[in-house]
Amino acid sequence: MKKLLVYLRDYKKESVLGPLFKLLEASFELIVPLVVASMIDVGIAGHDRNYILKMCLIMAALGLIGLTCSVTAQYFAAKAAVGFATKLRHGLFAHIQGLSFSQMDKEGTSTLITRMTSDINQVQSGVNLVLRLFLRSPFIVFGAMIMAFTVDVKAALVFVVVIPVLSVIVFGIMLINIPLFKKVQGGLDKVTGITRENLTGVRVIRAFGEEENEIQKFDIVTDSLKRMQEIAGRISALMNPLTYIVINAGLVALIYVGALRVEAGILTQGQVVALVNYMSQILVELVKLANLIITVTKAVACGNRIEGIFEIPAGMEQGSSAPGENEKGVVEFDHVGLRYYEGGEEALTDIHFKAQKGQTIGVIGGTGSGKSSLVNLVSRFYDVTNGKVLVDGVDVRDYPLGQLRDKIGVVMQKAVLFKGTIRENLLWGNENASEEELWDALRTAQAEEFVMKKEGKLEEMIEQEGRNLSGGQKQRLSIARALVKKPEILILDDSASALDYATDAALRKSIREMPGETTVFIVSQRASSLLHADTIIVLDDGAVAGMGKHEELLEKCEVYQEIYYSQFERREVE
């Protein structure tokens, strides 16, 4: 949590002025019991109405000044807390953007969302309350005790006993609750995860009639969260009754001692009232402090979770080398192995091949055979476990990431479009692309026809994730976005799965006819998409089962034969 306080450095003035104004307000509040005592002992005892009126005006003035100080303190505290949360959220978002695919896979999307939203809101509330009350409440508590000693030492000894007992209760409950609230936030991660999963997969769930099962899974997770919250809530709920018991016991003792001291002529009635007022102030402030402790406990637990994300090393180490005059578009896999998690099985094993400039490399295999894993290594979305991947003769780990990815255009398995116009989505590929370049890319991607039919053409709005487009339209726009970049290496990761065979064939023909010599990787489960590839790599359980042209593989590779003949009718060989 301490490391997060660096985001408060731009709000040093507010962080100092907020507590100072609260202390100023508290100082005026501590004077009020003395004014009341004076009013009772002098004004009421002497039937002096003018004195009583004078004391009333002084109390009103103290209240007005205290209100002004309180409002000012709240302004500075709110400004610092909101500014802190804003900068923290920006910092966390930027850090998450720098995490590698492996790190994000390990942490999980739902937990990152919870930290960006709920956890930061809890920390913001904690900072706000700390700036307002963390100094004020102890100041009132100990200030009231000191003021009580100025009134009467013997009666003030009650305060000396009460305050440590209350401190043990408050801080004991805080220490118990910190790990409990951490578990609660972990439970919230699970609820967020299952909710997100259901919302993104709602069509599949309904298609298979799994609503009841998903509701049961959700109930189990939420019931677990409820139980954790109930345990933490019950312990927190002990705070108020325990503090009230101790304070009221202290009040009884104080009134008893005060009565004896008044009877002995040592104390006046006004002084006893002042002591009772100080004890009441302690009660009120400790209740506030108890609520503050609960909020701070949650904030510390959430802050530690946020800090845990910051402690993950951001992304991958970047190199500084740049290729010399090597031929561009050359990709080489040098005995590459990949393992996603430590201790897990290898996703890729001993992959070795070289793609020359302008070649088309097809990658085919069954589900889970490692096709996407292979092409993700070219862009360095993941790092190899063994061997190395070279682009233009340089290890991808020696490139600055920006320079490496400027060479590559990637179309993922799942077409991802952002809310905005078609033009804005295409310009992700190259923000300086001209109108003609955009239409050329659309034409190559077989998307020109349907874009022309749109009322706004390039200015047509696309909803988030392209919800107002069909699957094929989304894929074609994603391909066009990559083509606008005019990359040296183009990776199509099963990005034509939603296209019919005719459109797929036209797309492949257009890509082959593009000006320049672009090295193309086509990942597909359709054998027909790879028939004309210069080299087809057949993967089976992460290893190369065969490599060569279509005719060679059809003759010698059993895995390729199985895939091919499952899609095409086997011809009788005479």
Side-chain angles (χ1 to χ4, degrees):
M1 178 67 185
K2 291 179 183 177
K3 294 179 182 177
L4 303 185
L5 297 180
V6 67
Y7 293 97
L8 265 176
R9 64 186 173 192
D10 292 335
Y11 299 93
K12 292 176 183 175
K13 180 183 73 175
E14 289 81 1
S15 300
V16 172
L17 290 176
L20 280 179
F21 273 100
K22 271 294 177 183
L23 291 181
L24 190 59
E25 178 207 352
S27 301
F28 289 119
E29 193 171 318
L30 288 172
I31 299 172
V32 171
L34 297 179
V35 175
V36 172
S38 180
M39 186 188 300
I40 293 170
D41 292 339
V42 178
I44 295 175
H47 302 287
D48 188 344
R49 292 186 177 180
N50 289 332
Y51 190 83
I52 293 171
L53 180 61
K54 178 184 174 184
M55 291 296 105
C56 287
L57 290 174
I58 291 174
M59 286 177 64
L62 289 172
L64 187 61
I65 295 170
L67 175 64
T68 304
C69 292
S70 178
V71 171
T72 306
Q74 175 60 53
Y75 168 76
F76 286 124
K79 185 177 179 182
V82 172
F84 161 79
T86 301
K87 288 186 176 294
L88 176 58
R89 195 173 278 111
H90 277 287
L92 183 60
F93 186 79
H95 184 77
I96 290 172
Q97 288 291 321
L99 296 180
S100 68
F101 279 21
S102 294
Q103 291 163 331
M104 295 185 77
D105 291 344
K106 185 177 180 182
E107 291 303 319
T109 305
S110 60
T111 190
L112 295 176
I113 291 172
T114 305
R115 282 158 171 73
M116 280 287 299
T117 52
S118 173
D119 285 358
I120 289 182
N121 288 339
Q122 290 281 9
V123 173
Q124 178 182 322
S125 299
V127 170
N128 192 353
L129 284 179
V130 164
L131 293 177
R132 287 167 49 206
L133 299 176
F134 200 69
L135 289 180
R136 182 189 188 281
S137 293
F139 180 80
I140 288 280
V141 171
F142 292 104
M145 184 176 71
I146 292 166
M147 295 298 284
F149 272 100
T150 64
V151 175
D152 183 64
V153 174
K154 189 173 181 180
L157 292 175
V158 176
F159 289 76
V160 176
V161 175
V162 169
I163 289 173
V165 173
L166 287 169
S167 300
V168 169
I169 292 171
V170 169
F171 288 101
I173 289 175
M174 179 188 74
L175 291 174
I176 294 170
N177 261 358
I178 284 179
L180 287 176
F181 281 122
K182 195 169 185 180
K183 287 183 180 179
V184 167
Q185 289 301 119
L188 186 60
D189 283 348
K190 292 180 182 177
V191 172
T192 305
I194 199 168
T195 303
R196 180 177 177 275
E197 189 178 279
N198 272 265
L199 291 175
T200 53
V202 63
R203 297 186 186 212
V204 178
I205 291 167
R206 289 181 180 175
F208 287 89
E210 289 291 312
E211 293 94 336
E212 289 300 322
N213 289 337
E214 292 300 320
I215 290 170
Q216 287 176 9
K217 282 167 61 179
F218 184 78
D219 286 345
I220 290 169
V221 176
T222 50
D223 285 345
S224 174
L225 176 61
K226 183 187 78 172
R227 284 193 296 273
M228 287 188 288
Q229 286 177 319
E230 282 177 347
I231 293 168
R234 281 170 185 156
I235 294 172
S236 298
L238 291 173
M239 187 90 73
N240 284 355
L242 289 177
T243 52
Y244 270 102
I245 289 169
V246 174
I247 283 289
N248 282 297
L251 277 173
V252 170
L254 186 61
I255 292 170
Y256 176 75
V257 173
L260 294 177
R261 306 282 280 176
V262 169
E263 190 176 1
I266 300 170
L267 287 178
T268 65
Q269 292 173 335
Q271 288 175 320
V272 174
V273 171
L275 289 171
V276 171
N277 278 342
Y278 283 128
M279 186 63 82
S280 299
Q281 283 184 346
I282 290 174
L283 171 63
V284 171
E285 290 306 318
L286 279 171
V287 170
K288 288 182 182 177
L289 186 60
N291 292 325
L292 169 65
I293 294 298
I294 292 169
T295 304
V296 169
T297 300
K298 292 180 181 177
V300 169
C302 293
N304 290 336
R305 282 158 49 82
I306 295 167
E307 195 174 313
I309 299 299
F310 277 115
E311 287 173 354
I312 300 171
M316 305 168 170
E317 291 185 11
Q318 298 190 43
S320 56
S321 301
E325 298 301 318
N326 299 349
E327 189 175 14
K328 294 183 178 180
V330 177
V331 179
E332 182 178 357
F333 277 60
D334 185 6
H335 300 285
V336 166
L338 171 66
R339 193 189 310 271
Y340 282 109
Y341 299 111
E342 292 182 10
E345 294 182 0
E346 279 197 329
L348 294 173
T349 305
D350 196 30
I351 307 295
H352 186 75
F353 70 90
K354 186 172 184 178
Q356 299 293 346
K357 178 181 179 181
Q359 284 191 329
T360 298
I361 306 297
V363 184
I364 196 168
T367 302
S369 58
K371 303 186 297 297
S372 295
S373 299
L374 186 145
V375 292
N376 280 336
L377 294 175
V378 179
S379 310
R380 206 188 168 202
F381 291 145
Y382 296 93
D383 266 342
V384 298
T385 311
N386 302 309
K388 55 186 176 180
V389 178
L390 299 99
V391 171
D392 299 343
V394 177
D395 192 324
V396 292
R397 290 169 291 192
D398 294 333
Y399 276 96
L401 282 175
Q403 185 178 346
L404 172 66
R405 290 172 185 169
D406 281 344
K407 294 172 169 288
I408 303 166
V410 180
V411 186
M412 302 279 191
Q413 272 183 310
K414 182 182 177 183
V416 177
L417 298 173
F418 299 92
K419 185 176 181 180
T421 63
I422 292 175
R423 182 191 300 276
E424 288 169 347
N425 272 275
L426 294 178
L427 289 176
W428 275 65
N430 176 11
E431 60 182 13
N432 298 316
S434 65
E435 188 94 0
E436 184 180 349
E437 287 173 327
L438 296 181
W439 283 110
D440 282 344
L442 288 169
R443 199 170 297 118
T444 303
Q446 308 303 302
E448 181 185 30
E449 183 180 353
F450 84 81
V451 173
M452 287 294 291
K453 290 179 180 177
K454 298 286 184 184
E455 187 177 344
K457 296 184 172 55
L458 288 178
E459 306 307 323
E460 184 74 14
M461 284 297 298
I462 296 175
E463 293 182 12
Q464 188 176 355
E465 296 184 353
R467 284 193 294 265
N468 56 337
L469 298 175
S470 69
Q473 290 172 338
K474 286 192 285 187
Q475 286 190 338
R476 283 178 278 172
L477 282 181
S478 298
I479 294 168
R481 179 175 58 197
L483 294 175
V484 167
K485 195 175 185 179
K486 295 183 178 177
E488 295 174 18
I489 302 162
L490 177 64
I491 297 173
L492 304 177
D493 185 2
D494 206 10
S495 54
S497 57
L499 304 183
D500 58 60
Y501 283 95
T503 308
D504 185 18
L507 170 66
R508 286 184 281 109
K509 183 174 182 292
S510 296
I511 290 174
R512 285 199 304 273
E513 294 173 352
M514 284 192 307
E517 293 184 82
T518 303
T519 305
V520 181
F521 284 81
I522 301 177
V523 175
S524 181
Q525 292 185 359
R526 291 180 182 173
S528 61
S529 300
L530 309 177
L531 296 179
H532 301 290
D534 297 296
T535 302
I536 301 173
I537 301 170
V538 185
L539 293 179
D540 183 33
D541 198 22
V544 175
M547 189 181 303
K549 290 184 176 291
H550 165 69
E551 293 78 8
E552 300 170 22
L553 294 171
L554 197 58
E555 182 180 342
K556 299 177 181 178
C557 181
E558 289 184 12
V559 176
Y560 187 75
Q561 290 169 1
E562 186 179 339
I563 295 171
Y564 182 79
Y565 289 122
S566 69
Q567 299 172 14
F568 295 92
E569 184 179 349
R570 182 188 286 269
R571 294 178 181 176
E572 294 293 332
V573 180
E574 295 184 0

